[in-house]
Amino acid sequence: MESSLPSPASSGLPDAEAARRALGEAAASRARVSDSVSSPWWFHSGLGLAFALVCAAISLRWADWAMGPFVLAVLGLGWALRRTSGVTFDRYASTPDAARYFGAYVLACLVLVASGMTLEWGFDVRWAIAGAGLVAGVLTVVMGHRVDATVRRELRAGR
């Protein structure tokens, strides 16, 4: 009995082997891209240092002077990262786990800085904002590397 379905060769559809090769090539390409999304060592360290320094400047009452260089440093680090890695994407929201880590990081930084501001401006505890900024800077470095590792893992897994 003959089938009324067209054969893959006659319909222009790939055969099973060609489809397996294409899937293998896609997986290999995904693995190559996942390797290139890692941030260089200086990116997260630079962000952490920038956050710590701007908080120290706030404690010294130099916030009006420090905000401009802080914004330029953050934008410059982002520009340099894009130029260095050759890959542009929102690493902090690109995968579900990375977005969860980033959300927890942002919440922790907000609590830290708000606590430092409350202590320093409300209860006159000198250097509280700088201390909170130092902790937020270290957290920036740690969570930045954690997000990078999570994005690499999830991209390799095809998520």
Side-chain angles (χ1 to χ4, degrees):
M1 176 176 240
E2 255 182 78
S3 171
S4 64
L5 295 175
S7 70
S10 66
S11 68
L13 295 174
D15 62 357
E17 185 57 36
R20 276 191 284 280
R21 277 194 311 273
L23 286 173
E25 290 171 8
S29 176
R30 193 171 47 244
R32 281 192 304 275
V33 168
S34 70
D35 289 339
S36 66
V37 299
S38 294
S39 303
W41 68 268
W42 47 263
F43 178 70
H44 299 298
S45 300
L47 283 178
L49 180 63
F51 286 129
L53 289 176
V54 79
C55 288
I58 292 170
S59 280
L60 290 168
R61 310 298 193 259
W62 296 345
D64 55 341
W65 173 86
M67 285 303 161
F70 171 72
V71 170
L72 289 176
V74 171
L75 292 175
L77 285 166
W79 176 82
L81 175 65
R82 284 188 300 279
R83 298 273 302 169
T84 302
S85 68
V87 177
T88 302
F89 73 105
D90 184 4
R91 68 186 7 87
Y92 301 108
S94 60
T95 65
D97 286 347
R100 277 191 286 279
Y101 283 132
F102 185 64
Y105 158 76
V106 168
L107 182 61
C109 284
L110 287 173
V111 168
L112 280 167
V113 173
S115 298
M117 288 176 174
T118 300
L119 288 171
E120 188 159 331
W121 294 337
F123 297 100
D124 203 31
V125 177
R126 286 296 282 162
W127 296 101
I129 298 172
L134 181 62
V135 174
V138 170
L139 188 61
T140 298
V141 174
V142 170
M143 289 304 286
H145 290 294
R146 175 68 146 208
V147 166
D148 275 354
T150 300
V151 168
R152 279 193 313 274
R153 179 180 41 82
E154 289 188 331
L155 284 177
R156 280 191 188 113
R159 293 185 202 157

